[in-house]
Amino acid sequence: MSFTLEENVRKLVEHHLTGFDGQAGMVFPNYSGYSLANIPDSICRWLGAEPIRGRPLAEEVETAFGGPYKRVVLCVIDALGWQRFQTILTGCRNHHAELDFWPRWLENGMIQPLTSISPSTTAAAITTLWTGATPAEHGVVGYEVWLKEYSMVANMIQFGAATFRGDSGGLRRAGFRPDTFMTLPTLGSHLSRQGIKTYVGQHESIARSGLSEMLMQGVSLLPYHTLSDLWQTLGNILGGSPDERLFVYAYWGDLDALQHFFGPDDIRVDLEMAAFTLQFANFWRRMRELGRGDTLVLFTADHGQAFTPPNPRYELHNHPELVSMLAIPPSGEARFTYIFPRSTKEDAVSNYIKDTWPGEFLILRGDAAIAAGLLGDGNLHPRLADRVGDLVVVPKGRSYLRWSEKENAMCGRHGGLSPAEMLVPLFGSVV
């Protein structure tokens, strides 16, 4: 199995987009069967439903997980990248007995590496997992996005102005409606029309966020307080109604938060994963007692994280000359930044970045990034070009661009094209 996995990882790492040859150390999204964008259609196929986008996982990946199934459970562990999970499986880092569960579990399971989407960030990736569409198609192209139609750089999780704190949902005052903003079919509604019920487990703090309201239509929402609450509730649902076809989705975000503030290698990350494992192991024992053999339990991640300690060199408030050449504030991600230069200033902005941080960033024209398929292909969102902007800036190492006025307390970030951010696992077992 290890040889096959090594080959599969190598195939993802060696995948390049036209015009991006020679970019060592970057992993590009592989939307042709080997990315998060392909999971929703495979879920439909495992459940015997019509496809939502017609873009399933590659045949060798999908068939490795067997099927068909009466129930599919998909748990998204925010920021559990491929590299991070491999350290858990091989025991290379801080050892905790609870983590020994995973290599034992996978002795009778399946695991495959995939790529995230680009940018490798939660708002874009979760939207992809609930539509089967790439960012180029669904238009949620980052954590912060320039919405020209509302004359605002918006936070795409809270749906408020990015420049105002505590303005969750503030776009509503401008006529924005989360339930109609997404014009593509969403997975819950799509499955419901085919007689498949969908349950969604999300922490109570985000269960009714703008992003959740936009995507989680046609589902039964299960806000949870703790991990024990989550897995007990999901066990109750899966333990009942044995003849009902179900899709169960769960999202857990604590691993991401810890990596942001303490870095991906901090011991707190392992401790938190050990706590998660303990609760899941209890759930798994309960499911094994039922022994139905008709339920596929899957895990994946929206992205990984890269170690990016605070550094004033990357704070844009320390570069007033650069800021003065911008028509609106940057948007997207600190590690996948959309730049909107003032008229005639595009070359000057590009040269400033090259001269100030020589060799640290890949600078692309926005239209070239779109044409190359970096954000995906298909029927492009009508406002995609507006949201991507004139320049796309992607770091080559630990660098980033930061424009927030808040104190920089983050040691881990994502959004970029490094292997740590872009490679994610898809693993699971049948019960």
Side-chain angles (χ1 to χ4, degrees):
M1 184 170 101
S2 60
F3 177 77
T4 301
L5 292 180
E6 289 174 4
E7 286 293 305
N8 289 346
V9 170
R10 187 178 303 118
K11 188 160 51 176
L12 297 180
V13 170
E14 292 176 352
H15 169 72
H16 285 282
L17 300 176
T18 302
F20 290 90
D21 293 337
Q23 296 300 330
M26 290 189 172
V27 174
F28 296 93
N30 192 330
Y31 300 113
S32 301
Y34 300 93
S35 78
L36 295 181
N38 307 111
I39 293 177
D41 269 311
S42 286
I43 289 173
C44 292
R45 287 165 64 146
W46 286 319
L47 288 169
E50 292 296 316
I52 186 170
R53 298 294 295 177
R55 187 192 285 122
L57 291 163
E59 183 178 2
E60 71 268 21
V61 177
E62 184 177 281
T63 56
F65 290 87
Y69 298 102
K70 191 168 288 183
R71 297 126 186 268
V72 174
V73 179
L74 177 66
C75 181
V76 176
I77 302 179
D78 198 321
L80 182 66
W82 175 263
Q83 293 180 352
R84 179 63 54 240
F85 191 55
Q86 289 304 298
T87 65
I88 291 172
L89 292 181
T90 57
C92 292
R93 293 201 305 156
N94 309 303
H95 183 265
H96 301 283
E98 293 86 354
L99 298 179
D100 291 339
F101 170 85
W102 296 109
R104 295 198 307 269
W105 190 62
L106 284 171
E107 288 176 359
N108 297 310
M110 302 77 69
I111 180 169
Q112 292 286 333
L114 298 176
T115 70
S116 183
I117 47 79
S118 188
S120 52
T121 193
T122 301
I126 298 301
T127 303
T128 288
L129 284 172
W130 277 90
T131 61
T134 66
E137 295 171 304
H138 60 59
V140 180
V141 293
Y143 178 60
E144 295 180 358
V145 175
W146 166 240
L147 300 181
K148 186 176 181 179
E149 62 270 40
Y150 294 101
S151 300
M152 183 186 300
V153 176
N155 179 306
M156 295 307 292
I157 291 179
Q158 299 175 347
F159 288 132
T163 52
F164 292 96
R165 300 185 195 181
D167 191 40
S168 180
L171 267 174
R172 292 178 187 273
R173 293 191 293 274
F176 177 89
R177 288 185 56 189
D179 58 335
T180 59
F181 181 73
M182 178 54 59
T183 58
L184 298 175
T186 53
L187 190 57
S189 297
H190 175 76
L191 293 175
S192 177
R193 287 191 289 271
Q194 299 175 71
I196 301 170
K197 192 165 185 178
T198 297
Y199 291 93
V200 172
Q202 295 201 118
H203 193 269
E204 56 163 345
S205 62
I206 62 168
R208 293 177 177 84
S209 69
L211 184 67
S212 298
E213 187 176 348
M214 180 178 76
L215 299 175
M216 315 302 180
Q217 300 178 37
V219 310
S220 295
L221 191 60
L222 304 170
Y224 68 86
H225 298 269
T226 64
L227 285 172
S228 58
D229 179 14
L230 169 67
W231 291 114
Q232 183 65 32
T233 300
L234 297 190
N236 292 344
I237 289 169
L238 293 168
S241 306
D243 296 325
E244 192 174 20
R245 287 192 297 167
L246 301 177
F247 172 53
V248 179
Y249 169 92
Y251 168 87
W252 182 56
D254 291 354
L255 216 61
D256 180 67
L258 288 171
Q259 291 183 67
H260 273 309
F261 289 103
F262 300 105
D265 292 323
D266 191 87
I267 191 173
R268 295 171 181 84
V269 178
D270 284 341
L271 288 170
E272 200 64 25
M273 190 64 191
F276 177 92
T277 303
L278 180 64
Q279 296 295 338
F280 174 73
N282 289 333
F283 162 85
W284 188 251
R285 283 192 288 270
R286 181 180 175 188
M287 291 299 98
R288 287 190 64 184
E289 291 174 0
L290 297 175
R292 292 174 179 158
D294 61 359
T295 302
L296 175 63
V297 179
L298 292 171
F299 289 85
T300 193
D302 46 357
H303 54 75
Q305 281 216 29
F307 180 56
T308 57
N311 189 329
R313 291 183 63 239
Y314 305 124
E315 301 279 349
L316 292 194
H317 64 78
N318 291 325
H319 300 274
E321 181 183 347
L322 175 59
V323 174
S324 71
M325 292 189 284
L326 305 183
I328 61 174
S331 58
E333 307 289 326
R335 287 180 58 80
F336 198 98
T337 306
Y338 304 124
I339 301 288
F340 300 79
R342 294 182 183 275
S343 178
T344 75
K345 294 294 184 180
E346 182 175 315
D347 288 343
V349 168
S350 181
N351 288 333
Y352 186 97
I353 294 171
K354 292 176 182 177
D355 294 341
T356 306
W357 301 284
E360 293 191 53
F361 293 98
L362 173 65
I363 304 172
L364 309 166
R365 283 191 52 85
D367 53 5
I370 292 172
L374 186 57
L375 288 87
D377 51 15
N379 295 319
L380 304 185
H381 192 280
R383 293 190 178 273
L384 179 64
D386 290 338
R387 296 177 185 180
V388 170
D390 300 296
L391 297 175
V392 180
V393 180
V394 185
K396 295 182 179 180
R398 292 181 175 179
S399 50
Y400 54 90
L401 295 179
R402 187 176 184 276
W403 51 92
S404 173
E405 296 181 358
K406 296 186 292 184
E407 179 185 359
N408 185 4
M410 285 191 177
C411 291
R413 290 175 175 83
H414 52 80
L417 297 173
S418 73
E421 295 160 283
M422 281 298 296
L423 294 175
V424 298
L426 177 66
F427 59 101
S429 191
V430 178
V431 66

